[in-house]
């Protein structure tokens, strides 16, 4: 195409929004039956570069609408409105095993969307695009407040929704890597939940005492939420992924302090020494370390560590004690944790106890362990360090990209509905609005 003959117009709407908000990509003012490539580029905070691209052919009016028209190839195929986000992958030459995670939630994820002539697969950085737009995707909606929490020895961050409270509360726990990850809690606050992101594996109190936290640490976090003037003390939930799901189940079943309205467990298991501390839980895992498999790619498969599901009641949470709704989110190709087998056993235990009406299971074929908020790029395996050894290894999480991406979108939507129904009584929450920006449209 002669650039003098045609000035391609590219628009992305909304150009600024939450990470779980869909956008529309429209290419106009080209020739009919014109082959083009739409490319997405992101430079992450850790210095790595990610890209995705898709091939299209314009219609009779010289237009491509990514929400309606099929990709003919690239990092994804078919009609996929958000494929340019969920199919992002590290550019060639990047270190193996990296994972894209937002650290500073007070800044957006910036993605440059560009249009190139022809169906291309490489060399994008060496060319001048026909048009480009920079889009912003945020975890924090306008008006959400971020409050670091250190009281009671906690290492945590509280996110309060915009507007007048009080709001339902939510305690957010990640898995076995440790560190304080805030992005999911920030996004939950953007949807109306006062969310406390809690570091329970590498908090300052562990650095000071050299001892792992005990149940009192989680109960302290719960009390911080419960006593906050902007939180509805009678409407608090816990949400955990992986090891965080194990903690969530244990607290929901046994704690005399934590009184939840509901709980969400993603890619977790109830298998653990129920009378033990967190230290004893890790000791239990180490005792079973011989069950871990290593595949031909030298990737570690940890799901066998808790298999077969024990019959001894002292080795699994008595979920028959649960008195509030429980949502389990399961990837059926989870290679890190036996989430499917655990969900089946939890269902059977609750049926025997007569409380299975409280259980909802979302089970997704070909989805892996890391079920994150929508449009997060799928990572089948990545470098991982446990908090005890700090020795890096390649962990196999599982999942197939398209199926996993579908699972993330569906599970997030249904999780929000579950939380609204149980914490807000089904009240529709207002969707946070970003100012529309036309910056960068061509």
């Amino acid at each position: 195409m002669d650039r003098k003959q045609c000035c391609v117009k590219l628009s992305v709407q909304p150009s600024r929004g939450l990470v779980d908000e869909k956008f529309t990509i429209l290419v106009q003012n080209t020739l009919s039956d014109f082959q083009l490539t739409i490319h997405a580029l992101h430079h992450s905070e850790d210095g790595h570069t990610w890209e995705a691209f898709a091939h299209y052919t314009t219609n009779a009016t010289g237009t491509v609408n990514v929400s309606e028209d099929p990709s003919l190839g690239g990092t994804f195929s078919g009609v996929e409105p958000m494929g340019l986000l969920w199919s992002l992958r590290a550019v060639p030459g990047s270190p193996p095993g990296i994972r894209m995670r937002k650290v500073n939630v007070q800044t957006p994820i910036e993605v440059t969307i560009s249009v190139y002539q022809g169906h291309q697969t490489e060399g994008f950085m060496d060319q001048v695009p026909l048009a480009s737009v920079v889009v912003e995707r945020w975890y924090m909606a306008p008006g959400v407040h971020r409050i670091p929490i250190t009281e009671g020895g906690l290492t945590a961050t509280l996110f309060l929704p915009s507007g007048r409270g009080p709001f339902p509360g939510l305690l957010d726990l990640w898995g076995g890597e440790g560190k304080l990850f805030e992005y999911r809690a920030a996004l939950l606050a953007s949807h109306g939940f006062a969310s406390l992101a809690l570091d329970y594996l590498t908090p300052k109190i562990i650095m000071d005492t050299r001892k792992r936290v005990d149940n009192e640490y989680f109960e302290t976090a719960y009390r911080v939420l419960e006593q906050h003037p902007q939180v509805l003390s009678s409407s608090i939930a816990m949400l955990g992924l992986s090891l965080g799901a194990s903690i969530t189940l244990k607290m929901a079943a046994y704690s005399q302090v934590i009184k939840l309205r509901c709980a969400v467990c993603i890619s977790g298991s109830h298998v653990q020494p129920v009378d033990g501390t967190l230290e004893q839980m890790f000791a239990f895992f180490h005792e079973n370390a011989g069950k871990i498999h290593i595949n031909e790619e030298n990737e570690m498969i940890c799901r066998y560590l808790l298999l077969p599901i024990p019959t001894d009641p002292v080795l699994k949470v008595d979920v028959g004690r649960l008195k509030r709704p429980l949502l389990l989110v399961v990837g059926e190709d989870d290679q890190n944790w036996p989430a499917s087998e655990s969900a089946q056993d939890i269902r059977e235990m609750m049926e025997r106890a007569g409380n299975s009406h409280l259980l909802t299971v979302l089970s997704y074929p070909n989805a892996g362990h890391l079920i994150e908020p929508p449009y997060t790029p799928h990572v089948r395996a990545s470098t991982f360090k446990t908090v005890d050894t700090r020795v890096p290894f390649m962990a196999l999480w599982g999942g197939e990209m398209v199926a996993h991406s579908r699972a993330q979108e569906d599970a997030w939507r249904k999780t929000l509905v579950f939380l609204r129904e149980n914490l807000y009584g089904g009240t529709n929450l207002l969707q946070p609005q970003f100012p529309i920006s036309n910056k960068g449209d061509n």
Side-chain angles (χ1 to χ4, degrees):
M1 174 182 287
D2 188 338
R3 293 178 61 89
K4 296 181 180 180
Q5 292 178 330
C6 182
C7 183
V8 173
K9 180 179 180 181
L10 169 65
S11 64
V12 183
Q13 296 296 337
S15 60
R16 180 182 300 147
L18 290 175
V19 295
D20 60 352
E21 181 181 0
K22 288 185 178 181
F23 52 51
T24 298
I25 301 175
L26 193 64
V27 181
Q28 297 172 294
N29 202 29
T30 71
L31 303 174
S32 62
D33 295 321
F34 178 65
Q35 292 186 343
L36 56 85
T37 300
I38 303 180
H39 181 265
L41 183 71
H42 170 63
H43 299 290
S44 57
E45 294 160 304
D46 56 8
H48 300 300
T49 300
W50 300 76
E51 70 174 355
F53 57 91
H55 301 151
Y56 293 91
T57 300
T58 61
N59 62 17
T61 63
T63 299
V64 168
N65 185 336
V66 172
S67 297
E68 300 175 355
D69 298 327
S71 164
L72 305 177
T75 53
F76 67 93
S77 299
V79 179
E80 299 289 352
M82 301 302 292
L84 286 166
L85 287 191
W86 56 248
S87 72
L88 282 167
R89 63 188 187 185
V91 298
S94 299
I98 61 175
R99 177 180 171 192
M100 198 177 105
R101 305 186 82 174
K102 193 76 176 78
V103 176
N104 182 6
V105 297
Q106 297 180 96
T107 62
I109 294 173
E110 292 187 343
V111 181
T112 302
I113 308 293
S114 303
V115 179
Y116 293 87
Q117 182 173 345
H119 288 170
Q120 304 189 42
T121 59
E122 59 185 2
F124 296 102
M125 301 303 99
D126 300 326
Q127 304 177 53
V128 177
L130 300 175
S132 290
V133 171
V134 177
V135 300
E136 296 179 358
R137 313 318 286 174
W138 290 79
Y139 285 96
M140 283 180 65
V144 170
H145 299 282
R146 178 184 177 273
I147 306 169
I149 301 292
T150 57
E151 61 186 275
L154 298 179
T155 297
T157 306
L158 175 63
F159 291 90
L160 293 176
S162 61
R164 296 181 60 186
F167 307 97
L170 187 142
L171 187 56
D172 184 22
L173 306 181
W174 285 93
E177 185 178 10
K179 302 179 184 178
L180 180 60
F181 292 107
E182 300 179 347
Y183 57 94
R184 187 171 59 194
L187 188 56
L188 287 163
S190 298
H191 285 282
F193 306 100
S195 302
L196 185 72
L198 181 67
D199 179 1
Y200 60 97
L201 290 176
T202 53
K204 185 177 183 298
I205 193 171
I206 288 183
M207 303 299 105
D208 292 342
T209 66
R210 300 300 173 184
K211 295 181 180 179
R212 293 202 190 278
V213 302
D214 54 21
N215 294 346
E216 185 178 350
Y217 185 82
F218 303 101
E219 292 173 345
T220 299
Y222 175 85
R223 285 195 181 99
V224 167
L225 268 177
E226 183 184 41
Q227 296 170 7
H228 195 283
Q230 288 294 93
V231 174
L232 290 166
S233 61
S234 62
S235 194
I236 297 176
M238 284 183 72
L239 183 152
L241 180 142
S242 193
L243 182 62
S246 300
I247 302 296
T248 296
L249 285 170
K250 185 174 183 177
M251 294 297 105
Y254 299 111
S255 175
Q256 297 300 308
V257 173
I258 297 176
K259 305 298 181 183
L260 303 177
R261 284 285 294 272
C262 63
V264 179
C265 294
I266 305 169
S267 305
S269 177
H270 59 321
V271 177
Q272 57 183 286
V274 296
D275 293 329
T277 63
L278 191 59
E279 188 78 45
Q280 290 169 316
M281 187 186 298
F282 273 91
F284 173 72
F285 296 155
H286 283 298
E287 289 172 6
N288 289 281
K291 296 181 180 180
I292 293 174
H293 293 187
I294 306 293
N295 67 12
E296 294 179 354
E297 288 74 35
N298 204 35
E299 297 166 338
M300 193 171 291
I301 303 171
C302 297
R303 67 185 315 273
Y304 299 101
L305 190 140
L306 301 182
L307 291 176
I309 302 296
T311 57
D312 189 341
V314 303
L315 293 179
K316 55 188 182 183
V317 172
D318 182 5
V319 290
R321 298 168 57 98
L322 297 177
K323 296 179 174 60
R324 295 293 185 178
L326 170 64
L327 174 64
L328 300 181
V329 180
V330 174
E332 295 178 14
D333 189 40
D334 189 336
Q335 297 300 312
N336 185 253
W337 224 229
S340 290
E341 293 89 342
S342 297
Q344 180 60 36
D345 194 59
I346 288 172
R347 183 188 297 278
E348 293 172 0
M349 291 176 68
M350 293 181 71
E351 286 174 350
R352 289 194 296 269
N355 64 343
S356 61
H357 61 285
L358 299 174
L359 177 64
T360 302
V361 179
L362 304 177
S363 189
Y364 298 98
N366 299 316
H369 183 72
L370 299 177
I371 299 178
E372 299 225 60
Y375 320 129
T376 301
H378 168 248
V379 177
R380 182 168 174 81
S382 69
T383 303
F384 188 76
K385 296 179 183 179
T386 59
V387 295
D388 44 358
T389 66
R390 305 310 298 167
V391 176
F393 62 91
M394 193 67 70
L396 181 63
W397 309 113
E400 180 273 322
M401 184 179 67
V402 175
H404 189 88
S405 300
R406 298 267 196 278
Q408 290 190 147
E409 184 173 358
D410 187 73
W412 182 254
R413 177 178 59 83
K414 290 177 179 175
T415 296
L416 290 179
V417 170
F418 177 84
L419 292 172
R420 288 168 183 163
E421 288 178 344
N422 288 287
L423 299 181
Y424 269 99
T427 303
N428 290 326
L429 303 182
L430 293 176
Q431 175 71 28
Q433 296 296 315
F434 280 80
I436 298 298
S437 170
N438 292 319
K439 180 181 178 182
D441 289 2
N442 291 289

